[in-house]
Amino acid sequence: MLAMLFRRLGLGAITVWLVSVIIFLGVEMLPGDACTAFLEREAKGKLLENCREDLGLNRPALMRYTEWAKGAVQGDLGVSAKGQKPISELVGYRLRNTLLLASGAILAGIPLALFLGVVSALWRDRPVDIVVSTLAIFAMTIPEFVSATLLILVFSVWLGWVPGIVLTPANAPLVEFFPEVLLPITVLTLVMTAHILRTVRSSVIEALASDYAQMARLKGVPYWQMVFRHVLPNALLPAINVIALTIAWLLGGVVVIETVFNYPGLGRMMIDSISDRDLPVTQAIALIIATVYVGVNLAADILTLLANPRLRTMHIRKG
Amino acid sequence: MKKIIGAASGLAMIASWAFAEPQGTFRQAHEVGSGSGSSLDPISKGRVFQVTEKIMSRLVRPDMEGRPSPDLAVKWSANADATEWTMELRSGVTFHDGTTFDAEDVVYSLERVLDPEMDSPARSAISMITNVEAIDESTVKLTLGSSFADLPLLLMDYRLRMIPEGSGDMIATTGIGTGPFKLERFDAEGTTKLVANMDYYEGAPAVAEMEIIGITDGQARLQALLGGQIDMERGITSQQRVMLEGSDKFNVQTIPTGNWRGLIFRTDVAPFSDVRVRQAMRMVADRQAMVDLVMGGGAVVACDTPVGPRDQYRAELDCPQDIEGAKALLAEAGFADGLDVDLYVATLEPTWPVLAEVYQKQAAAAGIRVNIKQVPSDGYWSEVWMQKDAVTTRWNERPADQALNEIYLSTAKWNESYYKDKAFDALLSQARSELDFDKRRDLYAQAQAHLLQTAGTLIPYHVTRLVGTTARVSNLDEVENNSVRWHLVSVD
C-alpha cells in the first residue's frame, strides 16, 4: 500500500512537470509575446526593444524555462511579467477565492446530488425520478454561460435580490464576497449536482439488482435495512471518483463561470495571463491546477481502497 | 414675464446647485485593457484614461463642439508664422497634494512627453514642439520646429495632462493632478476610488465619490449596468441598446464620434500599387448598406476620410457605390476578368468579420473575389497589420491634422497603407502653416478629397458611440469622454 502510494506520488510529480513543459511550449507557440500583447500596435522600434529587455524576453526559450523551473522547484514562482509583483502574492488570493467558490458548490452540491440520486433510484420511473432526471439532463446540457446569464437576468435584473456581477477586489476579506458569490455558486451547484446524481442513480439501480441485494431480500431483511446496509455502501463507491473529478474541476478554476460573473478567481487569472502572454503567471496557475488534479485523484483512489476490503487486501493475500 | 421667471428659476437652480454639497457615488467600469500593466501615468501605454481624465487636467480641452477651450491655460496666441506660442496659465490652481500649479509644471510635463528616452506614445502627437520655456510663473512659451496653426487642437490630446514638477517616477501610482477628483485608492483590476476635489477651479464636483471598476468582459459590464451595479457603460452595441431602451431605469446617449473602422489595401504592392485598382476597390463599397448591416445604423458614412463627422475640417465628399466604374477601372488596369484578394480579419474588433463579409458580397459584383482569411487576434497588430497586403484596421478619433499626418504622411510612423504621395504631403504642410482659418479648412478638405482619389484605405463610416446610463445619472454631457465635464455629473 505504501509502495503504491510512493509510486503514485512519483508519477504525479512527472505529470506535473510534463504539464509545465507543455504549457511553456504552448504559450511560446502562440503568435506574439508579452511585449507585443501589451504594446499592441505600438510594438515596434525602441519601445519594443526596451520592453523585451526589461522582461528578459530576448534570451533563448530553453534558458528561460530552466531558470523558471529552478526557481519553481525551490518554491519561488517568480515575478509577474508585467506587474512586477511576486506571483505567490497574486495567485494566493485568487486561489483562496476559487476555493471559496468551490467549497460553496461542494457543500451545497454533493449532499444534494447524493440525496437526489438515491431518491430517484429508489423510486425509479416514478414521478419523482422523472422530474429529477429531466431537470438533471437540462442542467447538464445547457451550457453554463447560458444558465448563468438566465440566473442573472431573473435574480439580479428582474427581482433585484442579489448582485449580478462580482465587483469585490481579489484581495478583499472573504466576507465581502457575500452575497455576490451566491449566484456563481448556484450555477456551479446546478452543473455538478446533475453530473453526480446521474452516476449515483445508475449505480444504486445496479446495486439494487445485484445478487447480494436479491439474497438479502429473499432472506427477509427489511427493505430499508437492505438499502442502508447492503445497497448504499456498495453503490456509493463509484461515486467517489466522479466526485473527485468534479472537485478537481472546481478547484482548477471554472473559467467560463468566473468570466461571466467577473469573479476574481484562478480561472479568470489564467485567461488574462494567457492573453497577456504573462508566462510566469500562466505557468504558476497551470502548476497549481495540475497538482490539484493529481492530488484529488490520488485521494479518491486511496479512499476507494480504504472503502473496499477486497482491493485493500489483494496484495496481502497474494503475498 | 415668463422669461423673467424662467431666468430666475434658472438662477435659483444654479445657485442651489453651486452651494450643494457633493453627494452620492458615480460608478463606471473600464475594460482593464492593459491588465496588471495599468498605470496612472497619463503618457504611458498602460494609462487608465477613465481615471486620469478625472484627476488630471490639460492646458486646453475641447468644448461641447470639439473646439479648443481654456483648461489650465486661459489664453493663448501665436506669432505671425505660428512657430511660437505663448500660453497664459490659470492662477491660483493647486495640485491635490497642496503644491501650487505654475509654469515650471507645464515645462516639466511637456518635456517629459517629448523626452525620447520615455518613448511615450503621446510624443508623436506634439513632436513639432522643439522647446518649452517658462517666461514667468504663469506664462509658457512653446517653440515649434515648423509653422503650426492648430497647436491648441493638439494640446487637447487626452494624454497631455499636467503633473507636478519632478513627479514622473511616482505619478503612475500617486495620480496627483489638478482635476475635479482626487485619487483615494488605485486598483486597476479591482475598484479605483476617487473623491471630490473641493478646491477644483471650476467649482466642487456634484458627486462625492467616483468608483472606476475593472470588468474585462463586455457582457459582464452590460450585466453590471442592467443590475444597477454601475451607472454608466460607454460603447454598448446596437443589439444591447434594445435591452436598455425598453426600460425607464436606463437612458441611452447617442454620440457621433470620429472613431473609424476600415479595410487597407497596401499601396506599395501589386496589384494595389496601381491607383486605378485602389480606386476600384473602394468604389464597389455601398457604405450606407455597410452602416446598416454592420453597425445596425449606428454610424455616419465616411468617404475614405479619417476626419470625423463633427470635426471642423471634415470635407463634404460624395462617394456612391459605382460597380460599372469600378469594372471599367479594373479592365483598364488589366484585370478585365476581375481579381483575387486575400483579406485578413481577426475578431479583435468584433465588427471586422461582418464588415469583411459585407464587403466581399459587394465587391463580387465588380468581379473582385475577396477571400476572407480569419487569423487569431493574438499578435494581430505585430504579425498581420502592416505585414499582409489587405487587412482590417481601426482607430480612435483624433483631430484632422493628427489623423492625416500620423497615418497618411509619407514618413508617418503608422502609415499602415504605405501611402506615399508628394502632392498630399505638400497639402498637409501648407495647411499646417496657414493661419487663416477658412483657407486652412480648404487645404485640409483638398487633402481629404485627394485621399478619396488615391488612397489605399477604405473607410466606410465613423462609429456612433452609444452610452448607457442608469436613470439616477444626470448632467452627463452628451459628448465623447474627451470633452465630458466630469465635475458636473450628478447622481440621485
Side-chain angles (χ1 to χ4, degrees):
Chain A
M1 170 98 179
L2 216 56
M4 185 220 64
L5 192 64
F6 280 121
R7 205 180 62 233
R8 290 290 302 268
L9 277 177
L11 281 174
I14 293 173
T15 312
V16 171
W17 171 72
L18 277 177
V19 166
S20 90
V21 172
I22 291 169
I23 294 283
F24 185 87
L25 289 179
V27 177
E28 276 298 304
M29 266 181 331
L30 287 174
D33 60 23
C35 286
T36 57
F38 174 57
L39 294 169
E40 297 184 328
R41 62 168 77 178
E42 276 137 27
K44 51 172 76 174
K46 191 158 178 207
L47 214 52
L48 186 60
E49 256 171 57
N50 286 350
C51 174
R52 289 202 165 132
E53 182 77 27
D54 288 349
L55 301 185
L57 287 180
N58 34 21
R59 291 169 306 147
L62 187 65
M63 203 164 131
R64 278 181 285 134
Y65 178 78
T66 22
E67 227 160 77
W68 173 82
K70 246 192 253 163
V73 169
Q74 292 158 0
D76 172 18
L77 291 173
V79 190
S80 150
K82 284 184 347 191
Q84 307 292 339
K85 283 186 204 145
I87 284 170
S88 43
E89 190 185 308
L90 288 172
V91 176
Y93 283 114
R94 298 298 185 123
L95 181 61
R96 182 202 65 174
N97 300 342
T98 290
L99 281 176
L100 172 70
L101 197 58
S103 43
I106 291 167
L107 288 179
I110 291 180
L112 188 67
L114 291 179
F115 175 74
L116 289 179
V118 171
V119 166
S120 60
L122 293 182
W123 280 275
R124 188 183 174 187
D125 295 336
R126 309 283 278 279
V128 62
D129 174 38
I130 293 168
V131 170
V132 168
S133 299
T134 317
L135 286 181
I137 299 249
F138 271 112
M140 269 173 72
T141 46
I142 296 178
E144 57 238 64
F145 57 87
V146 175
S147 44
T149 313
L150 283 176
L151 284 181
I152 292 179
L153 191 65
V154 173
F155 290 103
S156 84
V157 176
W158 289 349
L159 297 173
W161 290 353
V162 279
I165 302 295
V166 182
L167 298 180
T168 312
N171 54 3
L174 278 184
V175 278
E176 287 187 18
F177 282 97
F178 291 94
E180 289 174 333
V181 77
L182 292 179
L183 272 187
I185 287 182
T186 312
V187 177
L188 285 179
T189 308
L190 275 182
V191 179
M192 66 177 280
T193 303
H195 276 278
I196 299 176
L197 96 78
R198 284 180 57 83
T199 318
V200 171
R201 177 178 178 275
S202 59
S203 71
V204 170
I205 288 173
E206 207 178 296
L208 276 174
S210 66
D211 293 346
Y212 56 82
Q214 303 273 2
M215 185 64 187
R217 212 176 302 178
L218 289 175
K219 252 172 54 183
V221 177
Y223 180 71
W224 286 107
Q225 196 183 339
M226 178 211 49
V227 167
F228 282 106
R229 284 273 292 279
H230 301 287
V231 173
L232 290 190
N234 283 301
L236 294 186
L237 271 182
I240 292 180
N241 276 311
V242 180
I243 292 176
L245 271 180
T246 313
I247 292 178
W249 169 67
L250 285 172
L251 293 180
V254 268
V255 176
V256 177
I257 295 290
E258 289 187 1
T259 309
V260 173
F261 287 100
N262 197 45
Y263 189 82
L266 273 190
R268 225 184 84 210
M269 194 183 204
M270 182 82 170
I271 288 290
D272 291 346
S273 66
I274 291 175
S275 65
D276 292 348
R277 300 287 183 283
D278 197 336
L279 202 59
V281 174
T282 315
Q283 287 280 42
I285 298 174
L287 216 58
I288 292 174
I289 296 178
T291 314
V292 166
Y293 259 92
V294 170
V296 171
N297 279 313
L298 185 58
D301 287 353
I302 293 170
L303 266 182
T304 320
L305 275 181
L306 292 179
N308 189 334
R310 272 176 301 174
L311 290 175
R312 194 167 53 210
T313 50
M314 209 151 63
H315 302 284
I316 303 170
R317 254 185 284 157
K318 252 194 240 159
Chain B
M1 188 62 194
K2 247 185 190 168
K3 244 184 199 165
I4 299 176
I5 295 174
S9 64
L11 271 180
M13 261 178 68
I14 292 172
S16 68
W17 176 56
F19 294 117
E21 277 287 301
Q23 54 180 337
T25 303
F26 175 84
R27 299 151 307 164
Q28 77 171 96
H30 73 104
E31 57 195 5
V32 208
S34 299
S36 49
S38 300
S39 122
L40 292 179
D41 183 348
I43 64 164
S44 80
K45 174 71 181 90
R47 75 253 168 311
V48 182
F49 71 83
Q50 290 90 341
V51 178
T52 55
E53 70 188 5
K54 300 178 180 84
I55 59 178
M56 297 163 181
S57 321
R58 288 161 285 187
L59 289 175
V60 183
R61 71 163 181 225
D63 65 9
M64 294 304 108
E65 273 77 50
R67 291 170 311 216
S69 77
D71 200 358
L72 282 173
V74 285
K75 257 193 250 159
W76 48 85
S77 57
N79 65 352
D81 62 350
T83 52
E84 273 180 27
W85 287 78
T86 313
M87 322 278 303
E88 196 180 306
L89 304 178
R90 200 180 283 270
S91 56
V93 176
T94 50
F95 282 106
H96 299 154
D97 62 354
T99 53
T100 310
F101 163 79
D102 64 24
E104 291 301 334
D105 300 309
V106 178
V107 174
Y108 176 77
S109 301
L110 289 180
E111 277 182 347
R112 196 163 164 266
V113 179
L114 294 168
D115 182 0
E117 274 305 301
M118 292 288 301
D119 207 8
S120 163
R123 188 170 154 232
S124 64
I126 53 164
S127 55
M128 72 289 295
I129 299 179
T130 50
N131 188 38
V132 189
E133 186 187 344
I135 305 291
D136 59 46
E137 259 186 21
S138 61
T139 317
V140 177
K141 193 171 85 182
L142 307 176
T143 313
L144 313 187
S146 56
S147 297
F148 197 85
D150 272 328
L151 184 72
L153 269 183
L154 299 192
L155 292 176
M156 299 185 328
D157 189 295
Y158 71 106
R159 295 161 296 196
L160 298 179
R161 298 187 183 266
M162 298 298 123
I163 62 172
E165 189 183 355
S167 66
D169 293 340
M170 302 92 73
I171 198 68
T173 51
T174 59
I176 287 176
T178 54
F181 290 88
K182 295 193 275 195
L183 182 75
E184 187 172 275
R185 192 182 72 209
F186 178 51
D187 179 359
E189 286 159 299
T191 300
T192 299
K193 268 208 161 78
L194 311 177
V195 292
N197 171 15
M198 301 303 287
D199 300 327
Y200 183 55
Y201 49 83
E202 287 185 301
V207 295
E209 280 185 21
M210 282 208 176
E211 287 181 2
I212 321 288
I213 305 159
I215 307 178
T216 39
D217 187 58
Q219 194 61 34
R221 285 198 298 276
L222 180 74
Q223 260 145 8
L225 179 69
L226 288 174
Q229 290 177 288
I230 56 172
D231 295 306
M232 175 182 79
E233 168 62 5
R234 303 186 81 87
I236 54 176
T237 64
S238 46
Q239 289 93 332
Q240 294 169 341
R241 172 192 201 154
V242 185
M243 299 185 69
L244 297 180
E245 278 187 330
S247 162
D248 55 2
K249 283 156 71 184
F250 304 100
N251 293 315
V252 178
Q253 295 183 351
T254 308
I255 303 169
T257 73
N259 302 347
W260 75 90
R261 316 281 179 258
L263 307 179
I264 297 171
F265 307 102
R266 268 180 71 163
T267 60
D268 61 335
V269 292
F272 311 124
S273 47
D274 186 328
V275 69
R276 290 168 299 191
V277 176
R278 299 206 293 269
Q279 270 179 318
M281 297 302 290
R282 293 183 286 105
M283 276 161 80
V284 298
D286 179 347
R287 293 151 204 258
Q288 189 57 50
M290 286 177 165
V291 169
D292 295 337
L293 290 168
V294 185
M295 302 300 296
V300 180
V301 165
C303 289
D304 300 331
T305 171
V307 180
R310 297 226 289 203
D311 195 293
Q312 55 193 343
Y313 295 124
R314 160 97 160 195
E316 293 297 325
L317 298 169
D318 196 30
C319 48
Q321 185 184 37
D322 183 0
I323 299 290
E324 289 314 311
K327 273 184 180 164
L329 279 171
L330 285 178
E332 229 181 275
F335 295 99
D337 305 329
L339 78 165
D340 294 276
V341 176
D342 285 343
L343 177 62
Y344 288 79
V345 171
T347 51
L348 182 72
E349 163 62 44
T351 57
W352 278 345
V354 195
L355 177 62
E357 274 176 40
V358 173
Y359 180 74
Q360 183 183 43
K361 290 276 174 326
Q362 296 179 348
I368 300 169
R369 294 174 292 275
V370 178
N371 176 23
I372 299 177
K373 297 223 165 184
Q374 189 97 35
V375 292
S377 295
D378 292 318
Y380 181 81
W381 294 122
S382 50
E383 273 149 55
V384 179
W385 178 72
M386 289 189 77
Q387 309 290 328
K388 303 294 183 197
D389 298 347
V391 299
T392 40
T393 190
R394 70 166 175 202
W395 290 93
N396 284 339
E397 170 170 327
R398 45 204 71 214
D401 181 80
Q402 204 181 330
L404 296 168
N405 265 289
E406 289 193 348
I407 304 169
Y408 293 91
L409 199 70
S410 303
T411 52
K413 182 178 169 191
W414 284 311
N415 191 335
E416 54 186 357
S417 60
Y418 294 85
Y419 180 73
K420 294 195 169 52
D421 190 310
K422 287 210 176 80
F424 175 83
D425 291 359
L427 278 172
L428 275 194
S429 82
Q430 258 176 290
R432 282 192 152 188
S433 48
E434 176 58 60
L435 287 181
D436 182 83
F437 175 75
D438 289 325
K439 285 185 190 155
R440 191 160 71 232
R441 188 171 56 190
D442 193 48
L443 286 165
Y444 280 123
Q446 283 180 42
Q448 293 169 62
H450 193 76
L451 282 185
L452 181 57
Q453 287 304 310
T454 59
T457 310
L458 168 65
I459 301 177
Y461 50 75
H462 284 93
V463 178
T464 297
R465 188 186 290 288
L466 299 175
V467 176
T469 64
T470 52
R472 67 194 279 265
V473 177
S474 42
N475 294 322
L476 174 66
D477 293 327
E478 291 208 22
V479 287
E480 272 285 69
N481 286 55
N482 203 18
S483 313
V484 172
R485 293 164 295 176
W486 295 104
H487 66 287
L488 298 183
V489 177
S490 64
V491 292
D492 293 338

